[in-house]
Amino acid sequence: MSTSGMIEQERYTCAIGALQSVVAIPRAVPILHSGPGCGTMILGFFERGTGYAGGYTSPCTNFSETEVVFGGVDKLRQLIVNTDKVLDSDLQVVLTGCTADIVGDDVGSVLSEFVDAGRPLVHVETAGFKSNNLVAHSNVVNAIIDQYVDLFAAVHPSRSDALLVNVFASLPYQDPFWKGNLREYKRLFEALGLKVNILFGPESAGVDEWKSIPEANFNVLISPWYGLPIVEHLQERYDQPYFRFPYVPIGANETTRLLEGLSAFAIEQGAPLNPRRTRALIEHEEQAFYEEIDNLATFLLEFRYGLPNHVHILHDAGYVVGLSRFLLHEVGIVPKEQFIVDGTPEEYQAAVRADLAATSDRREIPVSFDVDAGAAQRALRELYGVAAGAGAAGAAASEGDATAAGGGGGAAAAAAGGGAAGGGAAAAGGGAATGDAAIGGGDPTAAAIAVGAHGGGQGGTAGHEGRGLIIGSGWDKELARDLSCDFLPAAVPDPYRLVLTTNYAGYTGGLRVIEDIYDVVLSTYA
């Protein structure tokens, strides 16, 4: 963090931003007991995040000076009455802002009047000074479980369905690819033979699905830290164990690892899964994945001197680790300095560092944890020796640039290594490439030759030879221009990209990442 104590370019919101977790539940409505600016602020940050009743549709008490003096419970009571008249919903969640929590309004007593009459109402404290939206997401989910889902526990006995799992993964709207990722997880897990409560987004059955949470045999968490309080709470309340994968699985290697681990865990918990079905699914998905990698061979050879060979990622911990592993082993783009800007609590940072360090046994991947993304940008400019605004867009993008050591070695290695080889060779950041054959049956010699064709470049700045890539939020576009790097927006806030149902997780997600990166690269060739 900066010496002034100020955070520049914060890439998450205050706790009330967890209203987006409510918006992501089909036919659920957030009710804001807050000032009028809170909902507008959240809408401005997430932009296209209105859902069924988000954005300007979300009811709000418009907490003012009068409520600060006299309290706002009467106004809240009337808003709840009116909301039921105007909005047809299956669940309503009251989220409190800073002023309501400072005043100490007894929201629970107001809601009890309606809950006793059968209204599906939940409340949760989301004052901005208490936490951020990544933390508050767990608070909102746990509040719904305790105050609503538990009312139906008698008709949904705990762990009564051996094949049912609850999945907690991408945070709605905070992860730009949450809809596509959740859809991909549901598709893959159901292909294993499991039943899936995905809970959020268009693939969810809404409140009825939430009611069946206790029936699940176990829970699945795909996250480095956010969401962990949810599965821990469910373990305590309903005796449900959980399977955890600590980063976003992108591409064949990591998605296969996820499916193998999940299948084994499910069988341990008594789920009647067939290991042969798991193996057949993985073989099918890998074959489809590596067939597309094979198709990249001509492209990679043609552009071998004009592709990125190293990457800097400014994102949350799950994406920094997931993208680093995928880009190194299956695309051949070397992760250099990485920046985790999600406010990862200190107790989880060592595990994240270990996951990132395990990406490569040949080189260390420097990583910093700092919510001040402005400081991360300044660090990169210092590494490159470039002042703000000094770069020229596309300076390293001219066709046939002899100073750009091409990336794409991992993909070329897979193609050279015989189709679905799972091959990936990490090109060293400038100079000679290391023929680091990745997981799979690829030919290490072919991998080394393929990657060697992409290495050996000179140039760059401050030890960052070759053409660079920056993956971050819309705020990093100017940074990439200044450093003469390619830029892929993949985090919020991002006004430069429209994401609807795109996924980055899974086998298909890995292919989409490759498409997005090389689309960016090709766009620089006029």
Side-chain angles (χ1 to χ4, degrees), residues 138-174:
S138 296
N139 297 338
V140 168
V141 172
N142 283 341
I144 296 173
I145 291 168
D146 292 345
Q147 300 173 41
Y148 183 71
V149 171
D150 205 50
L151 298 176
F152 305 92
V155 294
H156 296 278
S158 178
R159 302 192 69 186
S160 57
D161 191 334
L163 287 173
L164 183 62
V165 298
N166 304 312
V167 176
F168 301 94
S170 295
L171 266 63
Y173 298 99
Q174 177 67 33

Side-chain angles (χ1 to χ4, degrees), residues 169-170 177-186 198 200:
S170 295
F177 310 104
W178 70 278
K179 287 183 182 179
N181 286 353
L182 294 183
R183 178 180 287 111
E184 183 69 357
Y185 293 139
K186 183 177 176 70
I198 207 66
F200 299 100

Side-chain angles (χ1 to χ4, degrees), residues 109-348:
S109 65
V110 176
L111 266 63
S112 65
E113 305 169 15
F114 298 93
V115 172
D116 291 343
R119 282 281 294 278
L121 269 168
V122 171
H123 74 279
V124 56
E125 295 183 355
T126 51
F129 56 80
K130 291 187 175 181
S131 65
N132 60 38
N133 64 312
L134 285 87
V135 174
H137 169 77
S138 296
N139 297 338
V140 168
V141 172
N142 283 341
I144 296 173
I145 291 168
D146 292 345
Q147 300 173 41
Y148 183 71
V149 171
D150 205 50
L151 298 176
F152 305 92
V155 294
H156 296 278
S158 178
R159 302 192 69 186
S160 57
D161 191 334
L163 287 173
L164 183 62
V165 298
N166 304 312
V167 176
F168 301 94
S170 295
L171 266 63
Y173 298 99
Q174 177 67 33
D175 179 353
F177 310 104
W178 70 278
K179 287 183 182 179
N181 286 353
L182 294 183
R183 178 180 287 111
E184 183 69 357
Y185 293 139
K186 183 177 176 70
R187 180 185 75 85
L188 290 172
F189 297 170
E190 287 182 342
L192 288 175
L194 295 170
K195 303 175 185 177
V196 178
N197 280 341
I198 207 66
L199 302 173
F200 299 100
E203 297 299 315
S204 169
V207 169
D208 286 341
E209 190 171 276
W210 281 74
K211 292 177 182 177
S212 69
I213 283 177
E215 295 181 13
N217 188 9
F218 63 94
N219 299 300
V220 178
L221 175 67
I222 302 175
S223 167
W225 65 273
Y226 38 83
L228 190 57
I230 300 172
V231 294
E232 290 176 340
H233 183 61
L234 287 170
Q235 185 174 45
E236 180 180 350
R237 180 167 286 275
Y238 301 125
D239 195 32
Q240 293 170 329
Y242 63 88
F243 171 82
R244 180 184 173 207
F245 198 83
Y247 47 86
V248 181
I250 302 173
N253 290 343
E254 302 305 326
T255 308
T256 293
R257 185 174 287 114
L258 166 66
L259 295 180
E260 289 176 341
L262 176 58
S263 178
F265 184 86
I267 292 172
E268 289 175 5
Q269 301 306 318
L273 296 188
N274 186 339
R276 286 180 294 182
R277 178 173 178 172
T278 298
R279 177 43 49 191
L281 170 65
I282 290 173
E283 289 177 354
H284 172 77
E285 295 290 336
E286 285 189 343
Q287 181 178 1
F289 177 86
Y290 288 116
E291 180 178 342
E292 297 306 322
I293 298 300
D294 277 348
N295 292 336
L296 276 175
T298 302
F299 164 77
L300 293 172
L301 290 173
E302 180 179 355
F303 286 89
R304 61 188 179 276
Y305 295 120
L307 300 178
N309 75 335
H310 64 272
V311 61
H312 305 286
I313 306 168
L314 295 84
H315 215 308
D316 69 41
Y319 270 105
V320 166
V321 176
L323 283 168
S324 293
R325 284 175 171 257
F326 172 67
L327 293 177
L328 178 62
H329 292 294
E330 299 191 81
V331 186
I333 299 177
V334 178
K336 294 295 184 72
E337 291 78 11
Q338 307 298 305
F339 301 89
I340 295 174
V341 293
D342 63 0
T344 301
E346 188 172 350
E347 60 266 32
Y348 302 116

Side-chain angles (χ1 to χ4, degrees), residues 324-457:
S324 293
R325 284 175 171 257
F326 172 67
L327 293 177
L328 178 62
H329 292 294
E330 299 191 81
V331 186
I333 299 177
V334 178
K336 294 295 184 72
E337 291 78 11
Q338 307 298 305
F339 301 89
I340 295 174
V341 293
D342 63 0
T344 301
E346 188 172 350
E347 60 266 32
Y348 302 116
Q349 292 182 11
V352 174
R353 288 184 186 274
D355 287 334
L356 190 59
T359 300
S360 174
D361 59 1
R362 294 176 177 267
R363 59 171 65 239
E364 179 184 358
I365 302 175
V367 60
S368 68
F369 295 84
D370 195 341
V371 296
D372 189 348
Q377 289 192 351
R378 290 190 292 274
L380 279 173
R381 285 194 170 95
E382 183 176 343
L383 283 168
Y384 278 75
V386 175
S398 58
E399 187 171 359
D401 185 353
T403 67
T434 59
D436 182 14
I439 299 172
D443 181 354
T445 304
I449 293 172
V451 179
H454 295 260

